[in-house]
Each structure stands twice: as structure tokens, then as C-alpha cells.
Amino acid sequence: MHSTMMQAPLSLNHLLERAGQLFSGNEIVSRLPDKSLRRHSFGQFYRRTRSLAAALAGLGLAKGDRVATLCWNHHAHLECYFGIPAAGGVMHTLNLRLAPDDIGWIAGNAQDRFLVIDDVLLPLYQQFAHLHRFEKVIVFPFSGAAVDSKYADYEALLAQADGQSFEYAPHHEDDPVAMCYTSGTTGKPKGVVYSHRSTILHTLVGSLSDFWGLRGTDVLMPVTPMFHANSWGIPYAAVMLGVKMVFPGPHLHPEDLLDLMSIEPPTVSLGVPTIWMSLIQAFEASQAADSPHHGRWTLPRGMRSLVGGAAVPESLIRAFDRHGIWLLQGWGMTETSPLCTISYPRAELRGASADERYRRAAMAGVPVPLVELRVRGDTGGDQPWDGSTVGEIQVRGPFITGSYYRVPVEEDKFTADGWLRTGDVASIDSLGFVKISDRTKDLIKSGGEWISSVDLENAIMSHPSVAEAAVIAIPDEKWSERPLACVVLKPGAQASAEDFRAHLLAHGFAKWQLPERFEFIDAVPRTSTGKFWKLKLRERFPK
Ligand code: ADP
């Protein structure tokens, strides 16, 4: 017997058509390089996206051809998210924070045919142009300046194209729509290729109310770059639901974000923890009577902020909650689209104390539907879900990559039975809450016992004098490794190693788990996606 259901392929084009039909009056706001705001309606977005697709088809884009983007977060980048796949192409978001040589290598490895680039990023392009020749460089006049005639002008291409009679490139649901390279924090960058099907399933799952819980009445501010795992996939969901978007453009400093939040208050935003750490510090400093910014900003009370990409300290969750903002933690990777777990209040936690709610919110959370998750020990067996036994997380599911682009399936990344080895070490408790202790490469093994750098960092960051902290392993003759804490104090604050030791003991750490040394530094180095870059600290403090 066969089911009687239609075989309609899952498709991004459906989301675009739906947005054009149902939400044409809703707004998309982009902050331009001069900090002014540009407003677009969903109707304009729909028409411009179809024009982009028609223009790309007119330029000879063939099915499966890669079109790279080197852009900030704004409406034209969103047009690429849908316009490139509509023409049968694959959008390849390049990470503008990587070294130029790495960007050039990645574009070459992906065999990108065209490039869509913000005019303000052309100086960056010129630094890697010799490494990869794009057939066509299409410049988006983000700053409003005229486009040099040696490039194609994005706006002129759209104006000349016939979007109205454009016909979508035929496709199967497994055909590729986008690709993204891992940022290479722990190895050479590798390409992950998403399909219509994986993207639609990820969009549907993420949008459920226990997870992102997006609604048509929301106002979304994506601070996560659109090149970082497709801004975690949220732009797709916002288009599906007609959610108003406010894009910060190139202005990501805390003061700029606070300005934008005061003018266009979001109800949902997303970004890595370091963004929110500096934002809350800037906001709290502005409350002092003698601050030059006194009274300048209001935080959007009631906002939900999706935070992931690195562990979210409990102290940060508490700090935002004092201002009526809830941080919703998720865990995932470029390889996993990225959403795998979200920490949401399960029914069993109804009536739990505030402390317990915060403790859970500081965990990576519960696997979302369609993601299978297991934790494997050194000997390969499944670890019990007892909340304390740790092992490597492995995942499997329809929006998780099963290989890397142009790389033979690697035994160190995929198990023989087809699970992705994440390289993250975690425990799971009986309610299914995952708690990440470390990346395998960041683990500290002292005297045969593991010490979680994440736990130490979170506890140190709960000290009122601390702005940021990162803990790394240093070699030790007797214990093989010992923790070293790198601490950034808040401006004007004072605290000593002794204060921190007492603070950690009061937080339940045993003496042998305490950092061997505390180094006071000016700032924790950041990766290209804004996370703490421990590799750089290990280079700086080799012993
Ligand atoms: P990068 O290698 O630049 O960090 P990704 O953004 O793909 O690239 O990072 C995925 C990794 O980020 C995960 O494997 C994990 O180590 C870390 N990560 C993501 N979310 C969390 C989280 N909530 N808690 C702890 N670590 C996280």
C-alpha cells in the first residue's frame, strides 16, 4: 500500500512566494554604513528577490553554481538567501572576519562562480582577489556611492531584470541551496552544503514555541552574522512567518546596538555570548549618574535573546533577567544547520525555584525534534543520562551534515554507523538536558581527572569585578595539566587571585580544581565568529 499524499518537494521558493502573498506590508529595516535606516516592505523584498534570481539566470548561472556573498547583515543579503537558490544556485556566505588568504582559499575550494559583495568590503576583496577569480563581481552599493564600472552593479542588475515573469529553476528537495565553511577554529575550514529539505525542516523545528517561538508579531534583530551558519537559520523562519526584521548592518559595537534597540525595539534577537556580555556592561555603565551616556538607552523589556555558539554563563542570564530580558541558550554547529538543543522550561520544571530555572538556562538544553543525540565514552559505549558521566556528543538527523564538501568521509568526524562526532564533551541528565563541559581540544586533564574549563569560567564570571574570563590548560610535570585562568577585570575594579580562589571554593569547587594561576589580561581574543579564542591564549601562555 502507498500513502495517498502528494509528493510535493520541500522548497525555499514556497517560503518566498508565501511572504510575497501574505506579508507584503510588513517591514524589513537595515542600518546603512552612515547609520541611517533604510526601510523595505516584504512586498519589495519579494519583487527584488525574484529580480535577483532573474538577473542571475540572465548572467548564465547554471544549476548548482556557487554564488558567494561577502556582506554584512542587511536586506540585500536576505535577497541573496532566497534569490540565489530560486535561480538554482547555491549561496555561499563568506566570513568577512577571516584573514584575506583564508577567504580566498575558501572561495577557491568552493569553486565560487560569482560574488555578491558590499561596496564597503571591496578593500577586503582586493586583498584576496589574486587567490580566486570570480567570473562576475556584483557590487551592492550599500554606502550609496556609485559602483565602479569594472564591476556589475547589484541595483542596476535588479532594475533591468524581469522578476515578474521569472520561473523558478526546477529542483528536487535534496538539491543544495547554501553552503558555509566551518570557521576553522580547531582545524582547516571545511564546507557544509545545506539542501532545500534540510533548511525547511530546520526552519520548522526551530520555529516551534518551545524553541525560538517566533510569531508574526515579533520584531527580530539578527546580530549573529548572516555568514555564521546562516545567522543560525533564523532569516528563513522570519520570511516564512512574516516577522519584521531589523538588521544592524556593519554597526555591531555595543553602543550602536543599544542605539538601534532604543530606536527599533526588538522582541527577539540573537548573538554569541560575548556580544551580550559587552552590551550589558555598556548598558549598566551608562546608568551611572556621571556617565556621558546617562539615560541614552532603554533595554527592550520582554525581549527573548537566543544565545549560543559558546557556553552562556549563568551570571549573564541573571544580569539580563534583572532587566526583563530572557536569554534562551542553544547549542549547535555549522555542521548541524545549526540548532541541536535548546534550554527551555520543560513541564517537569513547573514550580521549580528561580535558582533551578537559572541553572537549567545555563545548560545547552534538550535535543530538538528530528535530532538524535548520544554521548559516547572512551570505550565507545553510550554514557548513562545521569547528569554527571561525560563523553563526546554525537548527533544524527535530517539537518545534520553527513560529510564535508570535497572531503572524503573522515573517520575522525563520522562514526562507522553514520553519526557526526561533534568534538564536544558533555553529560546529559534524566530530563535530557545536555551540559557541555568543553571542546575535546579545550579539556583539562589533571591527575587523571577532567576539570571543566566552562564551569570554572562561568563561576569566575559570576564575580562582580569580572568582565570576561577564559580558562585553558597548561602543562604540569606532576599532574600532566593544570588550569590557568585569564581574567579581564571590569574598568576600575580590583580583585586578586586569592579573592577568586575564595570565590570558587564558595561555589563548590574542590581545591584540586582551582586554577593554578590567574593572569590578568586586557581582553580575551575573539574568533572570527566572536567567540573566546582559547588557541590564542594557549599560544600566549604556553606554560
Ligand atoms: P566555530 O568552530 O567557529 O566555533 P561553529 O559556530 O560551528 O564554529 O561552532 C560550533 C561549536 O561551538 C560547537 O561544537 C561547540 O563547541 C560550541 N558551542 C555552540 N553552542 C554552544 C553552547 N551553547 N555551549 C557551549 N559550546 C557551544
PDB file of all heavy atoms in Angstrom, residues 183 185 228 308-311 329-335 422 424 436 439 529 531, ligand 1:
ATOM      1  N   SER A 183      34.457  27.532  10.702  1.00  0.00           N
ATOM      2  CA  SER A 183      35.341  28.691  10.768  1.00  0.00           C
ATOM      3  C   SER A 183      36.788  28.306  10.970  1.00  0.00           C
ATOM      4  O   SER A 183      37.676  29.140  10.912  1.00  0.00           O
ATOM      5  CB  SER A 183      34.885  29.636  11.855  1.00  0.00           C
ATOM      6  OG  SER A 183      35.074  28.990  13.065  1.00  0.00           O
ATOM      7  N   THR A 185      38.293  27.126  13.631  1.00  0.00           N
ATOM      8  CA  THR A 185      38.865  27.396  14.955  1.00  0.00           C
ATOM      9  C   THR A 185      39.716  26.208  15.402  1.00  0.00           C
ATOM     10  O   THR A 185      40.708  26.356  16.076  1.00  0.00           O
ATOM     11  CB  THR A 185      37.723  27.616  15.974  1.00  0.00           C
ATOM     12  OG1 THR A 185      36.824  28.543  15.411  1.00  0.00           O
ATOM     13  CG2 THR A 185      38.220  28.115  17.296  1.00  0.00           C
ATOM     14  N   HIS A 228      27.488  33.374   9.614  1.00  0.00           N
ATOM     15  CA  HIS A 228      27.727  32.409  10.685  1.00  0.00           C
ATOM     16  C   HIS A 228      26.567  31.408  10.711  1.00  0.00           C
ATOM     17  O   HIS A 228      25.525  31.663  11.297  1.00  0.00           O
ATOM     18  CB  HIS A 228      27.864  33.134  12.036  1.00  0.00           C
ATOM     19  CG  HIS A 228      28.262  32.211  13.157  1.00  0.00           C
ATOM     20  ND1 HIS A 228      28.139  32.534  14.472  1.00  0.00           N
ATOM     21  CD2 HIS A 228      28.808  30.970  13.142  1.00  0.00           C
ATOM     22  CE1 HIS A 228      28.556  31.526  15.222  1.00  0.00           C
ATOM     23  NE2 HIS A 228      28.969  30.572  14.430  1.00  0.00           N
ATOM     24  N   GLY A 308      23.977  31.408  21.705  1.00  0.00           N
ATOM     25  CA  GLY A 308      24.635  30.115  21.527  1.00  0.00           C
ATOM     26  C   GLY A 308      25.966  30.324  20.869  1.00  0.00           C
ATOM     27  O   GLY A 308      26.446  31.449  20.733  1.00  0.00           O
ATOM     28  N   GLY A 309      26.554  29.217  20.437  1.00  0.00           N
ATOM     29  CA  GLY A 309      27.864  29.294  19.797  1.00  0.00           C
ATOM     30  C   GLY A 309      28.978  29.125  20.816  1.00  0.00           C
ATOM     31  O   GLY A 309      30.105  28.804  20.474  1.00  0.00           O
ATOM     32  N   ALA A 310      28.669  29.358  22.081  1.00  0.00           N
ATOM     33  CA  ALA A 310      29.607  29.146  23.186  1.00  0.00           C
ATOM     34  C   ALA A 310      28.754  29.098  24.453  1.00  0.00           C
ATOM     35  O   ALA A 310      27.594  29.521  24.433  1.00  0.00           O
ATOM     36  CB  ALA A 310      30.615  30.291  23.277  1.00  0.00           C
ATOM     37  N   ALA A 311      29.349  28.585  25.537  1.00  0.00           N
ATOM     38  CA  ALA A 311      28.575  28.442  26.774  1.00  0.00           C
ATOM     39  C   ALA A 311      28.086  29.805  27.261  1.00  0.00           C
ATOM     40  O   ALA A 311      28.792  30.804  27.164  1.00  0.00           O
ATOM     41  CB  ALA A 311      29.448  27.789  27.838  1.00  0.00           C
ATOM     42  N   GLN A 329      19.291  29.702  25.668  1.00  0.00           N
ATOM     43  CA  GLN A 329      20.543  29.114  25.169  1.00  0.00           C
ATOM     44  C   GLN A 329      20.307  27.952  24.218  1.00  0.00           C
ATOM     45  O   GLN A 329      19.450  27.108  24.451  1.00  0.00           O
ATOM     46  CB  GLN A 329      21.393  28.634  26.351  1.00  0.00           C
ATOM     47  CG  GLN A 329      22.586  27.823  25.914  1.00  0.00           C
ATOM     48  CD  GLN A 329      23.689  27.690  26.945  1.00  0.00           C
ATOM     49  OE1 GLN A 329      24.831  27.459  26.596  1.00  0.00           O
ATOM     50  NE2 GLN A 329      23.370  27.830  28.198  1.00  0.00           N
ATOM     51  N   GLY A 330      21.073  27.919  23.151  1.00  0.00           N
ATOM     52  CA  GLY A 330      21.044  26.775  22.240  1.00  0.00           C
ATOM     53  C   GLY A 330      22.451  26.302  21.974  1.00  0.00           C
ATOM     54  O   GLY A 330      23.421  27.045  22.181  1.00  0.00           O
ATOM     55  N   TRP A 331      22.566  25.059  21.539  1.00  0.00           N
ATOM     56  CA  TRP A 331      23.882  24.511  21.165  1.00  0.00           C
ATOM     57  C   TRP A 331      23.773  23.908  19.770  1.00  0.00           C
ATOM     58  O   TRP A 331      22.739  23.320  19.423  1.00  0.00           O
ATOM     59  CB  TRP A 331      24.308  23.437  22.176  1.00  0.00           C
ATOM     60  CG  TRP A 331      25.424  22.565  21.672  1.00  0.00           C
ATOM     61  CD1 TRP A 331      26.752  22.853  21.714  1.00  0.00           C
ATOM     62  CD2 TRP A 331      25.306  21.288  21.031  1.00  0.00           C
ATOM     63  NE1 TRP A 331      27.471  21.835  21.124  1.00  0.00           N
ATOM     64  CE2 TRP A 331      26.612  20.863  20.705  1.00  0.00           C
ATOM     65  CE3 TRP A 331      24.232  20.469  20.693  1.00  0.00           C
ATOM     66  CZ2 TRP A 331      26.870  19.655  20.062  1.00  0.00           C
ATOM     67  CZ3 TRP A 331      24.484  19.273  20.049  1.00  0.00           C
ATOM     68  CH2 TRP A 331      25.790  18.868  19.744  1.00  0.00           C
ATOM     69  N   GLY A 332      24.812  24.101  18.997  1.00  0.00           N
ATOM     70  CA  GLY A 332      24.829  23.508  17.662  1.00  0.00           C
ATOM     71  C   GLY A 332      26.112  23.883  16.965  1.00  0.00           C
ATOM     72  O   GLY A 332      27.010  24.489  17.552  1.00  0.00           O
ATOM     73  N   MET A 333      26.208  23.529  15.705  1.00  0.00           N
ATOM     74  CA  MET A 333      27.419  23.756  14.915  1.00  0.00           C
ATOM     75  C   MET A 333      27.014  24.097  13.489  1.00  0.00           C
ATOM     76  O   MET A 333      25.900  23.787  13.064  1.00  0.00           O
ATOM     77  CB  MET A 333      28.269  22.482  14.832  1.00  0.00           C
ATOM     78  CG  MET A 333      28.493  21.762  16.129  1.00  0.00           C
ATOM     79  SD  MET A 333      29.129  20.098  15.845  1.00  0.00           S
ATOM     80  CE  MET A 333      30.824  20.448  15.442  1.00  0.00           C
ATOM     81  N   THR A 334      27.967  24.659  12.738  1.00  0.00           N
ATOM     82  CA  THR A 334      27.753  24.884  11.315  1.00  0.00           C
ATOM     83  C   THR A 334      27.275  23.575  10.658  1.00  0.00           C
ATOM     84  O   THR A 334      26.394  23.581   9.799  1.00  0.00           O
ATOM     85  CB  THR A 334      29.088  25.341  10.684  1.00  0.00           C
ATOM     86  OG1 THR A 334      29.490  26.529  11.367  1.00  0.00           O
ATOM     87  CG2 THR A 334      28.958  25.604   9.217  1.00  0.00           C
ATOM     88  N   GLU A 335      27.848  22.478  11.100  1.00  0.00           N
ATOM     89  CA  GLU A 335      27.536  21.160  10.530  1.00  0.00           C
ATOM     90  C   GLU A 335      26.094  20.725  10.795  1.00  0.00           C
ATOM     91  O   GLU A 335      25.595  19.794  10.170  1.00  0.00           O
ATOM     92  CB  GLU A 335      28.454  20.092  11.150  1.00  0.00           C
ATOM     93  CG  GLU A 335      29.890  20.123  10.698  1.00  0.00           C
ATOM     94  CD  GLU A 335      30.776  21.007  11.573  1.00  0.00           C
ATOM     95  OE1 GLU A 335      30.257  21.990  12.141  1.00  0.00           O
ATOM     96  OE2 GLU A 335      31.976  20.734  11.657  1.00  0.00           O
ATOM     97  N   THR A 422      30.924  15.412  17.308  1.00  0.00           N
ATOM     98  CA  THR A 422      30.934  16.873  17.408  1.00  0.00           C
ATOM     99  C   THR A 422      32.227  17.415  18.002  1.00  0.00           C
ATOM    100  O   THR A 422      32.515  18.606  17.858  1.00  0.00           O
ATOM    101  CB  THR A 422      29.780  17.366  18.293  1.00  0.00           C
ATOM    102  OG1 THR A 422      30.006  16.873  19.617  1.00  0.00           O
ATOM    103  CG2 THR A 422      28.439  16.892  17.772  1.00  0.00           C
ATOM    104  N   ASP A 424      32.554  17.838  21.057  1.00  0.00           N
ATOM    105  CA  ASP A 424      32.154  18.493  22.312  1.00  0.00           C
ATOM    106  C   ASP A 424      31.959  17.425  23.384  1.00  0.00           C
ATOM    107  O   ASP A 424      31.398  16.358  23.121  1.00  0.00           O
ATOM    108  CB  ASP A 424      30.843  19.267  22.130  1.00  0.00           C
ATOM    109  CG  ASP A 424      31.058  20.548  21.344  1.00  0.00           C
ATOM    110  OD1 ASP A 424      32.121  21.168  21.495  1.00  0.00           O
ATOM    111  OD2 ASP A 424      30.167  20.917  20.560  1.00  0.00           O
ATOM    112  N   ILE A 436      27.391  21.035  28.408  1.00  0.00           N
ATOM    113  CA  ILE A 436      28.682  20.950  27.726  1.00  0.00           C
ATOM    114  C   ILE A 436      29.782  21.290  28.728  1.00  0.00           C
ATOM    115  O   ILE A 436      29.718  22.334  29.377  1.00  0.00           O
ATOM    116  CB  ILE A 436      28.768  21.998  26.576  1.00  0.00           C
ATOM    117  CG1 ILE A 436      27.516  21.972  25.709  1.00  0.00           C
ATOM    118  CG2 ILE A 436      30.073  21.866  25.790  1.00  0.00           C
ATOM    119  CD1 ILE A 436      27.531  21.086  24.541  1.00  0.00           C
ATOM    120  N   ARG A 439      35.169  21.676  24.700  1.00  0.00           N
ATOM    121  CA  ARG A 439      35.515  21.022  23.442  1.00  0.00           C
ATOM    122  C   ARG A 439      36.626  20.029  23.766  1.00  0.00           C
ATOM    123  O   ARG A 439      37.417  20.289  24.675  1.00  0.00           O
ATOM    124  CB  ARG A 439      36.061  22.044  22.454  1.00  0.00           C
ATOM    125  CG  ARG A 439      34.989  22.881  21.847  1.00  0.00           C
ATOM    126  CD  ARG A 439      35.555  23.711  20.736  1.00  0.00           C
ATOM    127  NE  ARG A 439      34.455  24.370  20.056  1.00  0.00           N
ATOM    128  CZ  ARG A 439      34.561  25.043  18.937  1.00  0.00           C
ATOM    129  NH1 ARG A 439      35.726  25.152  18.346  1.00  0.00           N
ATOM    130  NH2 ARG A 439      33.532  25.605  18.378  1.00  0.00           N
ATOM    131  N   THR A 529      33.985  34.411  14.583  1.00  0.00           N
ATOM    132  CA  THR A 529      32.554  34.486  14.858  1.00  0.00           C
ATOM    133  C   THR A 529      32.297  35.073  16.250  1.00  0.00           C
ATOM    134  O   THR A 529      31.208  34.946  16.792  1.00  0.00           O
ATOM    135  CB  THR A 529      31.875  33.108  14.715  1.00  0.00           C
ATOM    136  OG1 THR A 529      32.650  32.142  15.440  1.00  0.00           O
ATOM    137  CG2 THR A 529      31.781  32.685  13.266  1.00  0.00           C
ATOM    138  N   LYS A 531      33.697  34.415  19.246  1.00  0.00           N
ATOM    139  CA  LYS A 531      33.789  33.617  20.475  1.00  0.00           C
ATOM    140  C   LYS A 531      35.168  33.784  21.102  1.00  0.00           C
ATOM    141  O   LYS A 531      36.104  34.229  20.435  1.00  0.00           O
ATOM    142  CB  LYS A 531      33.578  32.144  20.140  1.00  0.00           C
ATOM    143  CG  LYS A 531      32.323  31.873  19.350  1.00  0.00           C
ATOM    144  CD  LYS A 531      32.174  30.391  19.118  1.00  0.00           C
ATOM    145  CE  LYS A 531      31.158  30.096  18.055  1.00  0.00           C
ATOM    146  NZ  LYS A 531      30.970  28.674  17.865  1.00  0.00           N
TER     147      LYS A 531
HETATM  148  P1  ADP B   1      33.433  27.580  15.424  1.00  0.00           P
HETATM  149  O1  ADP B   1      34.347  26.428  15.189  1.00  0.00           O
HETATM  150  O2  ADP B   1      33.840  28.865  14.866  1.00  0.00           O
HETATM  151  O3  ADP B   1      33.102  27.762  16.864  1.00  0.00           O
HETATM  152  P2  ADP B   1      30.680  26.801  14.985  1.00  0.00           P
HETATM  153  O4  ADP B   1      29.935  28.049  15.131  1.00  0.00           O
HETATM  154  O5  ADP B   1      30.192  25.777  14.054  1.00  0.00           O
HETATM  155  O6  ADP B   1      32.146  27.167  14.584  1.00  0.00           O
HETATM  156  O7  ADP B   1      30.872  26.221  16.430  1.00  0.00           O
HETATM  157  C1  ADP B   1      30.313  25.061  16.929  1.00  0.00           C
HETATM  158  C2  ADP B   1      30.872  24.836  18.304  1.00  0.00           C
HETATM  159  O8  ADP B   1      30.538  25.917  19.175  1.00  0.00           O
HETATM  160  C3  ADP B   1      30.324  23.622  18.989  1.00  0.00           C
HETATM  161  O9  ADP B   1      30.970  22.440  18.559  1.00  0.00           O
HETATM  162  C4  ADP B   1      30.624  23.941  20.452  1.00  0.00           C
HETATM  163  O10 ADP B   1      31.964  23.653  20.789  1.00  0.00           O
HETATM  164  C5  ADP B   1      30.435  25.435  20.514  1.00  0.00           C
HETATM  165  N1  ADP B   1      29.101  25.745  21.053  1.00  0.00           N
HETATM  166  C6  ADP B   1      27.999  26.088  20.369  1.00  0.00           C
HETATM  167  N2  ADP B   1      26.970  26.336  21.195  1.00  0.00           N
HETATM  168  C7  ADP B   1      27.418  26.137  22.451  1.00  0.00           C
HETATM  169  C8  ADP B   1      26.831  26.204  23.764  1.00  0.00           C
HETATM  170  N3  ADP B   1      25.571  26.580  23.969  1.00  0.00           N
HETATM  171  N4  ADP B   1      27.619  25.891  24.822  1.00  0.00           N
HETATM  172  C9  ADP B   1      28.913  25.533  24.658  1.00  0.00           C
HETATM  173  N5  ADP B   1      29.522  25.458  23.458  1.00  0.00           N
HETATM  174  C10 ADP B   1      28.791  25.747  22.368  1.00  0.00           C
END
